[in-house]
Every structure is written in structure tokens, then in C-alpha cells.
Amino acid sequence: TCAGGIRMSGWLLRGSRVLAARPLWHAHAAGLLAPVAPLARGLHASVEYKFSGHLDPLQEYDKMMHEGRLRRDEKQRAVVEHLTTLQKSVQGHAAAAPVPASSGGFFSSLFGRKTSEPHTHRRHGLRSVYIHGDVGAGKTMLMDLFYHKAAPASKRRVHFHEFMLDVHKRIHTLRQQLSKDAKSFDPIPPVAESIAAESALLCFDEFQVTDIVDAMILRRLFKILFDRGVVVVATSNRPPDDLYKGGLQRAEFLPFIQLLKDTCDVINLQTGTDYRALALASAAPKQTYFHPDGPDTKARMDALFAELTKGCPTPAPMTITFQGRNLHIPKAACGVAWLAFNDICLKVPPPSPPIIPRLDTLLVVHHALQQDTSAGDYLQLCDHFHTIFLNSIPRMSLGTKDAARRFIILIDALYDRKVRLVFSGECAVDLLFCPDTGRTVTLHGQLLDDLGLKAGELPSLFTGEDEVFAFRRTVSRLREMQTTKYWDECAHSRS
């Protein structure tokens, strides 16, 4: 139960880890199916669609089509056929038990030399699935359809960014347990083993890699998972070859891309149609975004905040404490919180003091880099509030791409957890992140000279390419979050 007595049903959470999935399919995927023209509301005639327990994914997909809830899309259906075959194969599937081997140091294992990985074997012959395609093609909906029908021994469905946050949390927990005399410690094998022991099937939404330390550990982490027999189904806007494109030390990441290709059936879902956009075209709008910022905008947001907290105790500041950190909320009442963009997307929380005096250099750097992402903060907001007010969103550019990245993560968290959003900004939603082309060219030229690189060699860390790419998804989600349908779904999913 979150603040204001709102019961959070569906996802069962422990920290940032998803332990169980919703028994009903709440349609954040609603707009991702091809809407039939006579249905003004797109896919659904009601807020949610309850799957039939006795049907496999393909039968369920065809049933929804025949009921007039979607029009047939052969490319989607081909993916469903593939997933249906996998769904039948993973019935009762469990991960293999590890056989311990000798240990090695952290850095040697990180870069592929002798490791402390257990000797394991693939005993099942099942291939994982990696689905990529444009925004609105239906990737998430198809994965959720498969996930609901799949019945392995254990399973987990989670946003990929949240999964990696959990991985780093596990690493930190292991390090807290070390003695001060520990000379070196490789946390990847025990973390991978704990994940494999919990889930024989992992479903990842929005598979994307932008963090250098994530890039360095993914190959070893997933190699152990695959060797233990864990089956992965992932969705992404990018094909494997484009993951971490232009990232620092990308050569060290390439073996992970090859690992994905070796273990996954890579499916390109290019329907040529943005079904979310089509569904939104017929969805009843709800004004929850106000621009430009000013006295009139603030007055309208104040009025809406008062309406949503009517009959509640007087809104007051509150503090959420988690993992040794404090998240300050300027104003909150009955599950409704008011935040400023600068407070949640610009301010860098102070780092927690290290528990162990000696940490491996790479993880110290990673700790410093991760302090400003606020991903954990956003999950806490979702756990405590059903509605977020966010004011004064500026127009972001290359110079503020870190803030843009945090804003993208925030919207992903709110959207995935079905949290309502009322927000205000400097300009129209689709213009909130617009890198200044002229300034970008100048900055790139200076960086190329300083780093001694040629044109085209500048890592995406400096170009903002990842943010531009990801913001397309954010704009699509923000538009959906401004509909009556989305607000109704949020209320229903938490009832």
C-alpha cells in the first residue's frame, strides 16, 4: 500500500526486483496493436483484457483479432508464432545447478582472463529471443503476451534499466559483507548465480546499454546466465550490432554482442506502422501538460493539485529514506507528490560513504557516475505515489543531455508502473530535447581536436546520440500519458 491508501496491485516488488507479474494484462501495450477502425478507443473495449488461461500465445492473438480488438498484422503474428514455440518448450524449465571452480581477480575476469565462474553446461538447447524494431511496433505487447502464457519453474519480467540497477545493488551488498582484509573480489559470478537460481526465464523490456560499467560486465554476467540455462526474451529499439554504439571502450563490449547472436534468435519487427500513435489519434485527450511555464500555468497546476488532494490532510514536505539515502519531496498528500524538474533531474545526490576502504577502481568510478542517475529515486516515487506533478521542465540540449537522460529514465519508470503525470515545461513535448546543431558541430570539432580523433570517431557519450534516439520513445509515452484512457488504466491497475 502506498501513500494515500492506494493499493499497488500486480507487480510484487522487493527493492527494485520484480518477483511476480500481473495476473491481468494492463495495456501499456494497448496502443501497440493494430486498432480496428470501428473501435474508437483502439485495442480495448474496456480498460484491460483478461487472457484466456487455456490458450497459447498464437491462439490468444488470433482470438483478439477475431473479436475485433485488433487488425491482423502478419509481421506481428510471425513473431507470436516464434514465441509460441518457445512458450511450449520452456514449460517446467529450470536453470542448471553450478559446479564451482577456482577463483581469480576482478580485473582479470572482467576482461576475459581466468575467472571464478563456475563450470556449467547448457543442458536444454533452448534459444533466447531478441526482438528489435521501431517505436510503436508492438514489441512490448508481444513479449508480455508470451510472458503471461509461459510456465517455466520460475520467471521474471523487468525493465532492463531496473534489472541493471538491481545487479549493482547486489554487487554493493556483497561488498558490504567483505572483510577489510579482502584483497580482491569478483562479484559477477555470485550475482549471476543468484539471478539464475531465482529465474529460469528473464523477460527484459527496453534493452539498452549506455553505461560503460554495464557494458563491461554484461558479457560475463550473461554468459553465466546462458550457461546455467536461463532463457532470455528481450525487446529493444536497437539491433544487437547497434548496442552501445559509439560508447567508450566499445571493443571490450563486442564479445557480448557476439554472445547475443550466438544464443538468441534476433527478430526484426518492422511493421511500418506506429500503432501507439494510431491509437492515440482516437484517444480522448486529457490536459496534463501545460506550457509555456508562467503564472497562468502554475495557477492551473495548483488548481489540479488541489482537486486531486481535496479532503486530504494539508500537503506537506516529506522524506523517503532508502539504502542510506534521503529523497526529499517538497509537497505531498494522499499519494500525490509535487516536484520540480531541477530537484529530480538536475541535482546530484551526495554519494554514500563507502563501506569498504578499498574498492576496485572501476567500481569506484561507476559509483561516482551512478550517483546522478537517480534511477533508484524514481522507483521509490512510483512505490509511494500514484500521481506526480513535475513543473518547470526546460528545453534540453547537448549541454544538458545528462538531465535529458535522467528525464528519460524517470518517464520510463512512471509509464511502466502506471503512475499519472501532470507536468509543465518551456515548450511543446516533442521539442523538449532538441540538440543545437550549430553548437553541437562546434563542440564536436573542439572535442575531436582535443582527443586527437577523426570525424565519426567521437563516442556517443559526447554526441547525445543515445539521448536523441531514446527521446523518441519518451515523446511517444508522454503523449499516451496525456489521455483519459491512460489515467483510467492507472486508476484501475492500482485498485
Side-chain angles (χ1 to χ4, degrees), residues 408-430:
I408 290 168
I409 295 170
L410 170 64
I411 299 306
D412 280 346
L414 299 181
Y415 182 86
D416 288 342
R417 301 295 186 86
K418 287 298 181 198
V419 176
R420 293 167 167 176
L421 177 66
V422 179
F423 56 129
S424 70
E426 181 181 339
C427 57
V429 166
D430 56 350

Side-chain angles (χ1 to χ4, degrees), residues 168-282:
H168 293 300
K169 180 180 177 182
R170 293 177 191 234
I171 291 174
H172 179 67
T173 299
L174 285 173
R175 290 192 164 279
Q176 284 182 311
Q177 299 170 357
L178 288 179
S179 68
K180 294 182 180 180
D181 297 329
K183 298 297 182 182
S184 63
F185 174 65
D186 181 356
I188 307 304
V191 166
E193 292 297 339
S194 66
I195 294 171
E198 296 164 359
S199 307
L201 170 66
L202 288 172
C203 288
F204 296 122
D205 195 24
E206 304 294 351
F207 199 106
Q208 185 180 14
V209 184
T210 58
D211 181 280
I212 183 173
V213 175
D214 286 352
M216 294 300 102
I217 69 175
L218 279 174
R219 181 186 65 83
R220 296 194 55 247
L221 178 71
F222 274 76
K223 185 179 186 302
I224 296 174
L225 294 178
F226 288 137
D227 283 347
R228 283 286 309 278
V230 174
V231 175
V232 171
V233 175
T235 72
S236 178
N237 289 337
R238 292 180 179 255
D241 286 330
D242 286 351
L243 289 173
Y244 197 52
K245 189 175 182 179
L248 292 173
Q249 300 182 26
R250 189 171 188 262
E252 301 289 348
F253 181 73
L254 295 181
F256 174 67
I257 293 178
Q258 190 59 51
L259 177 66
L260 284 180
K261 292 179 177 180
D262 291 342
T263 55
C264 298
D265 291 328
V266 179
I267 301 175
N268 183 2
L269 180 59
Q270 295 291 353
T271 64
T273 304
D274 185 343
Y275 291 124
R276 184 185 287 123
L278 287 181
L280 291 178
S282 60

Side-chain angles (χ1 to χ4, degrees), residues 330-443:
K331 183 168 62 174
C334 292
V336 182
W338 186 300
L339 297 154
F341 178 88
N342 286 1
D343 291 333
I344 201 68
C345 292
L346 280 184
K347 286 187 177 179
V348 179
S352 303
I355 303 300
I356 305 167
R358 182 187 179 278
L359 292 176
D360 291 306
T361 304
L362 193 57
L363 290 182
V364 171
V365 173
H366 179 254
H367 179 72
L369 290 174
Q370 288 295 309
Q371 287 303 315
D372 66 348
T373 62
S374 298
D377 296 10
Y378 304 151
L379 295 176
Q380 289 294 317
L381 290 176
C382 295
D383 288 349
H384 284 79
F385 303 105
H386 58 77
T387 304
I388 299 292
F389 280 67
L390 184 67
N391 71 291
S392 303
I393 302 172
R395 185 171 183 171
M396 292 163 276
S397 64
L398 179 63
T400 55
K401 67 181 180 65
D402 288 340
R405 183 184 300 116
R406 291 191 285 274
F407 182 66
I408 290 168
I409 295 170
L410 170 64
I411 299 306
D412 280 346
L414 299 181
Y415 182 86
D416 288 342
R417 301 295 186 86
K418 287 298 181 198
V419 176
R420 293 167 167 176
L421 177 66
V422 179
F423 56 129
S424 70
E426 181 181 339
C427 57
V429 166
D430 56 350
L431 298 178
L432 283 175
F433 184 68
C434 295
D436 185 324
T437 303
R439 182 169 180 267
T440 299
V441 171
T442 300
L443 287 173

Side-chain angles (χ1 to χ4, degrees), residues 143-159:
M143 182 185 72
D144 285 347
L145 174 59
F146 162 79
Y147 181 86
H148 179 84
K149 299 291 185 177
S154 55
K155 62 180 180 179
R156 176 181 175 192
R157 191 268 193 211
V158 63
H159 191 281

